[in-house]
Amino acid sequence: MPMLKLVTIGVYDFDVESFLQRLRDADVRLLFDVRQRRGVRGPDYAWANSRRLQASLAGAGIAYEHHRELAPTTEHRHLQYAEDDRQGVGKRSRRELAAEYIRRYTAEVLDLADLVPLVVALPVQGQAALFCVERDAVACHRSLIAQRLAEQHDVSVEHLLPA
């Protein structure tokens, strides 16, 4: 069986056209949305709000699944925001996750999640994408999910960035 492939991708610094092109270039056939709230504030990112995103993906022939069970809770996000404030970093320019956020998200969400349905859904042809908002995967919980899939399910992972 060929190695299963997964990419991760965020919203920030993309527009809808460059986002879809990046997915096409990576041969993404399925997008896993791992956001709790499927909206992004501001007109520049309105394309990433759930209904618009799903319509754009459908037009590009990319399937969509929402996996809210993998999203951080509001409390987890507030832990990260507090650390962002402490460091004087805006959430759109964050470059890493807080240690306490990682610990709590891992223990309270990731360790309890059944990732087998994601693994089973991974396409044999092409690949799937884990999707959230942060530009850099290391600043987002999607990197933790991807790492777990790589370690426990032998999935290869690549983190996509805007051009």
Side-chain angles (χ1 to χ4, degrees):
M1 180 171 157
M3 178 173 256
L4 296 172
K5 296 179 182 178
L6 178 75
V7 299
T8 77
I9 192 167
V11 170
Y12 297 143
D13 293 339
F14 280 107
D15 57 30
V16 68
E17 293 83 13
S18 63
F19 179 81
L20 292 173
Q21 188 60 53
R22 194 73 175 103
L23 294 177
R24 280 190 289 270
D25 291 347
D27 197 19
V28 169
R29 313 282 177 94
L30 170 62
L31 185 130
F32 297 126
D33 188 338
V34 294
R35 299 177 292 172
Q36 180 189 38
R37 297 184 186 136
R38 294 182 289 165
V40 182
R41 290 186 180 164
D44 291 343
Y45 298 109
W47 62 267
N49 294 330
S50 181
R51 288 186 183 161
R52 290 179 184 170
L53 175 64
Q54 289 181 61
S56 296
L57 292 169
I62 299 171
Y64 172 92
E65 292 182 11
H66 182 221
H67 286 274
R68 185 181 176 142
E69 74 279 8
L70 294 173
T73 65
T74 300
E75 184 178 348
H76 296 140
R77 287 196 324 276
H78 285 285
L79 282 170
Q80 183 63 54
Y81 298 158
E83 181 63 15
D84 292 345
D85 288 345
R86 191 183 72 70
Q87 293 187 11
V89 175
K91 74 179 182 181
R92 291 187 185 187
S93 57
R94 178 187 312 132
R95 295 290 176 237
E96 64 183 5
L97 291 171
E100 183 64 5
Y101 173 95
I102 293 170
R103 186 188 72 71
R104 295 270 311 271
Y105 173 79
T106 299
E108 297 169 11
V109 176
L110 195 53
D111 287 348
L112 305 176
D114 180 5
L115 296 180
V116 172
L118 267 71
V119 175
V120 169
L122 291 173
V124 175
Q125 300 296 316
Q127 55 191 339
L130 281 175
F131 169 74
C132 197
V133 296
E134 284 79 7
R135 179 186 185 278
D136 297 306
V138 295
C140 181
H141 74 289
R142 72 181 186 267
S143 67
L144 304 174
I145 301 166
Q147 181 180 352
R148 179 71 54 94
L149 288 166
E151 291 170 357
Q152 294 185 356
H153 299 280
D154 200 30
V155 174
S156 75
V157 176
E158 177 186 359
H159 302 292
L160 303 181
L161 294 168

